[in-house]
Amino acid sequence: MSQTAGRVIVRVPAKINLQLAVGPLRPDGFHELATVFCALDLCDVLTASPAGSLTLDVQGPEGAGLAADRNNLAWRAAELLAGHAGVPARVGLHIEKNIPVAAGLAGGSADAAAALLACDRLWGLHLPAPELAALAARLGSDVAFALLGGTAVGAGRGERLRPIEGAASFSWVLAAADGGLATPAVYAELDRQRGLGDDAPAPVVADPAATLAASGVAEAVTSGDPELLAGRLGNDLQPAALALAPYLADTLAAGQKCGALAGLVSGSGPTCAFLARDGEHARTLARALAGTGSCRQAFAVTGGTARPTVLG
Ligand code: ATP
């Protein structure tokens, strides 16, 4: 974060899930999750400036068509913080949108986290981190992780976090799709696949924490060995995302054919993430994948150690 002439600028990362184990539907309508979040060096940049009221504008390569009003999570984050702290929501927010929207990369959550951090600083609140994290959890399941970054285990809806100390960074290729997928629709499709109807008995679904522990993914991220990590990735939402966006099967097959160590749908999709041996392999893989025409865009990123940060 940096504060220049009354402005606060926050750079905040997208995420992928290295494992996403989805448990049963809870009475509150959310699913119990066990996941390993991994922050990427693909970032949105949010600037908060002094203003007479709350305003927002969105620009950047992925900003087209994104709401710049109360429907934007950054706006809601600023309102929530102001209400919580009992201060007027006077801030001009500007988002440079680099994270594809509705892509399974938690870009909206990233912007909400950025707005919390920036407004907290701009308004001189300096709330303790646990208080900001509690507000984050009210805004969305992935917002608390966006405040934290790095690599972390998420439980509950994903808001109960335990950082994985010593997690290595890994090289990835993201394959961005043309359209988006609505997260609630993907969870609804998962429930449908699991046979969960209004009159159907609740299906037996494995305890997500046990699934995550059995995968050994947390140990693989500290090993720094991409070959080991490749065999430990997983996403319970992938079959549902593939059912709603069948073209993703081609993207995943193309990534494997181009030499990825492993590939998976990121979160609720439709972005696919491919693990590479190192940065050079990722760049080669991205070029090869882009040449297949199986995705809108393919680009190399680094995952595991990115955090909300000060602009240089
Ligand atoms: P989720 O975090 O729910 O898994 P996602 O990562 O797939 O979502 P996001 O880019 O966060 O996708 O967008 C999810 C929805 O949130 C979209 O319908 C989008 O219009 C809305 N949204 C609100 N504010 C933002 C924002 N600042 N950036 C991106 N999407 C936003």
Side-chain angles (χ1 to χ4, degrees), residues 76-272:
R76 273 187 255 158
E79 270 186 342
L80 180 69
L81 179 63
H84 174 80
V87 300
R90 289 193 188 126
V91 61
L93 298 175
H94 171 86
I95 298 172
E96 181 194 313
K97 192 78 198 156
N98 301 309
I99 304 172
V101 175
L105 298 171
S109 301
D111 297 345
L116 286 178
L117 288 169
C119 293
D120 177 65
R121 182 72 67 91
L122 186 75
W123 297 333
L125 304 173
H126 306 294
L127 297 187
E131 211 169 320
L132 279 183
L135 293 176
R138 288 171 57 186
L139 288 161
S141 305
D142 296 340
V143 184
F145 175 71
L147 277 180
L148 190 68
T151 305
V153 174
R157 294 161 51 198
E159 82 287 9
R160 295 206 318 266
L161 296 166
R162 178 173 57 79
I164 299 181
E165 302 301 337
S169 72
F170 292 89
S171 296
W172 295 86
V173 171
L174 294 185
D178 266 325
L181 276 176
T183 305
V186 179
Y187 277 97
E189 173 60 18
L190 175 73
D191 288 340
R192 198 195 61 74
Q193 290 181 354
R194 285 176 169 175
L196 191 65
D198 283 345
D199 303 323
V204 178
V205 178
D207 170 18
T211 306
L212 186 71
S215 76
V217 69
E219 294 75 17
V221 296
T222 51
S223 77
D225 178 355
E227 310 269 353
L228 184 65
L229 181 60
R232 299 187 175 188
L233 302 170
N235 180 2
D236 280 355
L237 287 179
Q238 183 161 310
L242 281 166
L244 297 179
Y247 61 87
L248 292 177
D250 292 340
T251 312
L252 289 170
Q256 294 291 356
K257 207 168 160 201
C258 291
L261 299 181
L264 82 172
V265 170
S266 172
S268 54
T271 305
C272 293

Side-chain angles (χ1 to χ4, degrees), residues 26-38:
R26 308 189 312 200
D28 66 1
F30 291 98
H31 291 78
E32 186 70 17
L33 303 180
T35 188
V36 171
F37 289 111
C38 170

